[in-house]
Amino acid sequence: MATDVAVPALGESITEGTLAQWLKKPGEAVAADEPIATLETDKVSVDVPSPVAGVLSETLANEGDTVAVGALIARIDEKATAGATPAQAAAAATTNPAGAGENPQLRGSEHAPEPTANGDEDAITTLSPAVRRAVLEHHVDPSKIRGTGKDGRLTKDDVLAAAEAAKAGGPVHEPEARAPAPTAPPPQSAPQPAAKVQTGERREERVKMTRLRQTVAKRLKEAQNTAAMLTTFNDVDMSAVIEARAKYKDLFEKKHGIRLGFMGFFVKAVALAAKDVPAVNGSIEGDEIVYHDYLDVSVAVSAPKGLVVPVIRNADRMSFAEIEKTIADFGKRAKEGSLTVEDMTGGTFTISNGGVFGSLLSTPIINPPQSAVLGMHRIEERPVVKNGQIVAKPMMYLALSYDHRLIDGREAVTFLVRIKEAIEDPTRLLIDL
């Protein structure tokens, strides 16, 4: 009996995605709910699970194809046995009436790569989001690494071990001769064979933009074209927050099981300031202004394929511990590539922390339809005047970019000053002042 695999619902307003990678090949066994492919949408990567246990009998779309929600992309034969060739598995599926109803629009692209006799080397070409990130970060060639995971697949530890071996000057083990991996091209900085390198040679490489990067580019440019964007700056003395963290970090972690970070203070400060300046938490829809009585904070997070902004829902009602746990979970899942469309949807205000990368000052771009974004930066000791004395203090520049169509300069400055006051005197966060 053959079961069709269709593109699942990808989230509100998302009607299609790009088939980024096949995680299984025809003839391979799959378990129920086991991912067989990865789809890229405008916001996140989504795994497509197998609805049943069996053998992947055929694929109906190629990597790189754009597929609509509900389109058939594969078939699972519940009666076939693992190890069958793609042709045998496909033949077994098409002899069953359940194979009827194939998608004619995708049928023409059915050209799955033939597996080799060595199952371990087949599996090396299957990279999970976490492994892809490790490959890009450490600039290693996945085709030269022997996988130790299930069915010979590469694991993150395999990549890290290969990177360490390369640093130590260890030998490079070339794999047995096989066709180039179609799903995981080597990173841009992967070394080329020495014999091909010529002195003074100049090279270029063209890589198609991912769907996520295309969407980010489009939305950021749209924000500049639509909003009357302006940025105002201030600086904040981080001494009080640093002292509070140093004093309570051990007790906080012992009680809540999470570290007390800086972001929790800023989220709480934004919630406090938004009560005084509600326009900063609003948006423009047509000729109307929408004011929100809740605060959903989009937190900019770096992911393997670009910047993503998961949303902390009802941040104004959350405790420090709840905020820190949510942020830590987002960071972990962003690295793994497991954030969902629902995690990214919505948001009424954005906080971007360029300080983690060493940024001293920047002008962040708002995330439509939001009307403002707060930019945090690195903390460094600078000379400031306190009570007539020049002293060194840990200072941070803050930047608020905002849509001047909705937010006046006075409101923007007031909002930023309220944040400064709350960070420099965290007691204000407790007494709602």
Side-chain angles (χ1 to χ4, degrees), residues 228 230 232 277 279-280 371 400 402-415:
L230 185 64
T232 186
V277 190
V280 175
S371 296
L400 181 74
Y402 58 97
D403 189 344
H404 211 339
R405 297 178 302 165
L406 172 59
I407 303 166
D408 295 333
R410 175 183 60 83
E411 293 176 309
V413 172
T414 299
F415 181 83

Side-chain angles (χ1 to χ4, degrees), residues 5-305:
V5 181
V7 177
L10 300 174
E12 183 180 358
S13 75
I14 299 179
T15 60
E16 63 182 20
T18 299
L19 204 159
Q21 182 182 19
W22 281 110
L23 304 179
K24 290 286 187 177
K25 291 189 173 79
E28 289 188 337
V30 296
D33 297 324
E34 181 180 7
I36 62 171
T38 299
L39 295 174
E40 280 186 358
T41 71
D42 294 345
K43 298 182 178 180
V44 292
S45 294
V46 178
D47 286 338
V48 179
S50 172
V52 295
V55 172
L56 179 61
S57 61
E58 58 180 327
T59 57
L60 305 177
N62 283 338
E63 293 176 351
D65 286 353
T66 297
V67 290
V69 172
L72 304 184
I73 59 173
R75 288 196 177 96
I76 305 296
D77 187 359
E78 300 177 57
K79 293 184 178 181
T81 57
T85 66
Q88 291 171 335
T94 54
T95 58
N96 191 292
E102 72 178 39
N103 189 332
Q105 294 180 336
L106 293 177
R107 196 63 181 85
S109 63
E110 182 186 346
H111 296 291
E114 293 286 339
T116 64
N118 188 329
D120 288 344
E121 292 194 358
D122 264 349
I124 289 177
T125 65
T126 300
L127 303 181
S128 69
V131 173
R132 285 201 302 271
R133 177 180 174 83
V135 166
L136 294 174
E137 285 183 344
H138 296 282
H139 307 297
V140 296
D141 185 347
S143 67
K144 293 183 172 64
I145 306 173
R146 183 74 64 178
T148 62
K150 182 181 178 182
D151 297 327
R153 289 182 176 79
L154 277 184
T155 67
K156 184 177 180 180
D157 289 338
D158 294 333
V159 176
L160 296 179
E164 289 299 322
K167 289 180 182 178
V172 177
H173 299 285
E174 293 290 341
E176 300 173 14
R178 61 184 177 95
T183 60
Q188 297 181 23
S189 57
Q192 301 294 327
K196 296 183 179 180
V197 177
Q198 302 294 332
T199 302
E201 183 177 353
R202 290 153 57 88
R203 296 183 176 183
E204 293 181 350
E205 182 178 1
R206 293 180 181 269
V207 180
K208 185 176 180 179
M209 293 175 69
T210 65
R211 197 178 187 92
L212 174 60
R213 174 53 58 187
Q214 292 179 50
T215 301
V216 169
K218 179 180 177 181
R219 288 175 61 83
L220 292 180
K221 188 57 182 172
E222 177 187 338
Q224 289 183 318
N225 293 341
T226 303
M229 198 152 51
L230 185 64
T231 304
T232 186
F233 304 93
N234 213 320
D235 61 0
V236 57
D237 182 352
M238 297 293 293
S239 299
V241 168
I242 292 174
E243 291 172 5
R245 290 181 70 230
K247 184 175 181 180
Y248 296 112
K249 65 178 182 180
D250 292 337
L251 289 174
F252 187 89
E253 186 169 3
K254 182 178 180 180
K255 180 175 181 179
H256 301 291
I258 190 72
R259 293 180 59 191
L260 178 60
F262 290 114
M263 189 62 81
F265 287 91
F266 279 93
V267 171
K268 298 291 283 186
V270 166
L272 185 65
K275 293 181 179 179
D276 290 344
V277 190
V280 175
N281 191 40
S283 60
I284 294 178
E285 291 186 9
D287 58 356
E288 296 179 333
I289 299 175
V290 180
Y291 293 99
H292 308 287
D293 66 352
Y294 54 87
L295 177 69
D296 288 350
V297 178
S298 302
V299 181
V301 177
S302 180
K305 296 186 179 180

